[in-house]
Amino acid sequence: MGKVAIVTGVRRIGRDISEHLLRKGYDLALVYRSSDEEVKRLERVAGSLGRRVLLLKGDLSEEDFCKKVVEETYSEFGRIDALIHLASPYFRTPIEEVSAEDIDRHFRPIAMAFVLLSKEAYKRMLLNEGDTRGHILAFGDWAVEHTPYKNYSAYFLAKGALHTAVKVLAKEFAPHVPVNCIALGPTLKAEDLTEEEWERILKNTPLKRAVSLKEVCELTEFLLKTESMTGEVIMVDGGRHIAGSGLGSVG
Ligand SMILES: NC(=O)c1ccc[n+]([C@@H]2O[C@H](COP(=O)([O-])OP(=O)(O)OC[C@H]3O[C@@H](n4cnc5c(N)ncnc54)[C@H](OP(=O)(O)O)[C@@H]3O)[C@@H](O)[C@H]2O)c1
């Protein structure tokens, strides 16, 4: 029987991961809010490969929607093998102006949704056979663990909670469901950065290149198979976490 994964946040990196998993034989529940074009494209790819996708449109800030995602996935495919949570707002919240609403608008889809989706998916994963019955993977940010940068306080608070949730759930869901996190560094340019700023970031990254999307897809596939690792936050960041201030030999 083919495996089934839920993927949230399929606009850019999530779209490539989804396509990779379809090619590896997964059927997918694609969770999106406004990326209609991307999910239609993925639907066509799935059709050409003889795979199935379920499109679930909604806002992961809502508890009911999180529950519905898992219920509808299970009722469509009859099993759930993996949850991959990429959905994440990312907008500036200078500390002088940050509001409760800004914090909420990041925290709910990033951290709260991860816990609620995981809790519901875990119950269905337990119905699978074998010692390892499913895998949960979050997408975090290298800077949370090392040096959060300025003006993104609400984002970092939420991603910090996400990294903590990975460790909490890894313990809760052992021994049957490993929970891990890929903490990305510069992979695709954020919309609010100029090309010049993006080039400067890459120049100040030890490996001096953007993170390879192909490697992110391959690592995701590997983490959906691993049975020996849980509670890990893996930096896939071109070495930014060892770059210090970015001055000296790096800068
Ligand atoms: N790009 C990088 O270089 C980089 C660096 C560090 C970490 N990361 C992390 O890697 C992941 C993917 O990054 P990306 O650049 O591909 O992301 P992105 O292009 O900014 O897309 C964000 C995704 O989050 C979804 N989303 C946001 N709020 C949502 C909500 N309330 N409900 C449902 N979906 C919501 C969006 O859905 P819709 O488009 O459907 O609205 C979109 O698919 C994210 O977790 C990000 O934090 C990326």
Side-chain angles (χ1 to χ4, degrees):
M1 187 185 288
K3 294 207 165 186
V4 175
I6 299 172
V7 186
T8 75
V10 294
R11 192 164 76 101
R12 299 197 304 167
I13 298 171
R15 184 192 56 207
D16 280 45
I17 289 172
S18 298
E19 184 161 341
H20 184 82
L21 293 179
L22 286 169
R23 293 189 188 284
K24 295 293 168 185
Y26 278 80
D27 291 326
L28 299 180
L30 303 173
V31 182
Y32 68 110
R33 191 186 43 173
S34 59
S35 291
D36 299 85
E37 287 303 313
E38 286 78 2
V39 296
K40 290 282 170 228
R41 215 196 106 216
L42 285 167
E43 202 173 31
R44 285 194 296 276
V45 173
S48 71
L49 295 167
R51 302 255 52 96
R52 288 196 291 155
V53 292
L54 172 68
L55 307 187
L56 295 164
K57 183 169 185 162
D59 185 346
L60 287 167
S61 304
E62 304 296 332
E63 182 169 7
D64 286 351
F65 179 62
C66 294
K67 211 165 169 210
K68 182 177 140 178
V69 163
V70 177
E71 276 170 6
E72 295 205 357
T73 303
Y74 191 75
S75 113
E76 173 74 15
F77 297 110
R79 63 185 290 127
I80 297 175
D81 297 282
L83 165 68
I84 305 163
H85 182 55
L86 297 110
S88 170
Y90 178 77
F91 58 89
R92 279 171 64 90
T93 54
I95 197 70
E96 302 79 9
E97 296 156 25
V98 70
S99 65
E101 193 192 339
D102 290 331
I103 294 173
D104 217 39
R105 280 178 62 201
H106 285 84
F107 188 86
R108 291 175 77 92
I110 292 176
M112 183 200 79
F114 179 64
V115 175
L116 297 176
L117 291 166
S118 296
K119 177 192 80 162
E120 294 300 326
Y122 173 68
K123 291 185 217 161
R124 274 65 172 198
M125 287 172 182
L126 284 185
L127 303 172
N128 295 339
E129 57 295 330
D131 289 338
T132 302
R133 302 190 189 173
H135 289 85
I136 296 177
L137 182 61
F139 273 76
D141 193 307
W142 76 277
V144 168
E145 300 282 327
H146 295 276
T147 168
Y149 41 88
K150 285 177 131 183
N151 292 321
Y152 288 84
S153 50
Y155 167 78
F156 280 120
L157 286 168
K159 286 289 192 191
L162 178 71
H163 288 206
T164 300
V166 166
K167 294 173 196 166
V168 169
L169 297 182
K171 200 157 223 183
E172 296 282 357
F173 297 166
H176 294 307
V177 176
V179 184
N180 291 295
C181 176
I182 296 178
L184 286 178
T187 309
L188 295 174
K189 186 179 87 57
E191 274 138 5
D192 64 351
L193 287 178
T194 64
E195 284 297 336
E196 240 174 26
E197 288 168 326
W198 177 242
E199 288 306 321
R200 197 165 60 239
I201 288 170
L202 297 183
K203 189 168 160 257
N204 287 332
T205 297
L207 294 178
K208 300 208 181 300
R209 62 174 83 96
V211 170
S212 148
L213 265 176
K214 181 172 172 282
E215 289 176 20
V216 173
C217 292
E218 288 167 353
L219 179 60
T220 300
E221 185 194 346
F222 169 76
L223 289 173
L224 298 192
K225 286 186 216 153
T226 183
E227 299 193 310
S228 310
M229 185 164 85
T230 195
E232 272 303 323
V233 177
I234 306 166
M235 305 294 143
V236 183
D237 65 349
R240 277 197 78 82
H241 69 285
I242 50 162
S245 63
L247 301 174
S249 61
V250 183

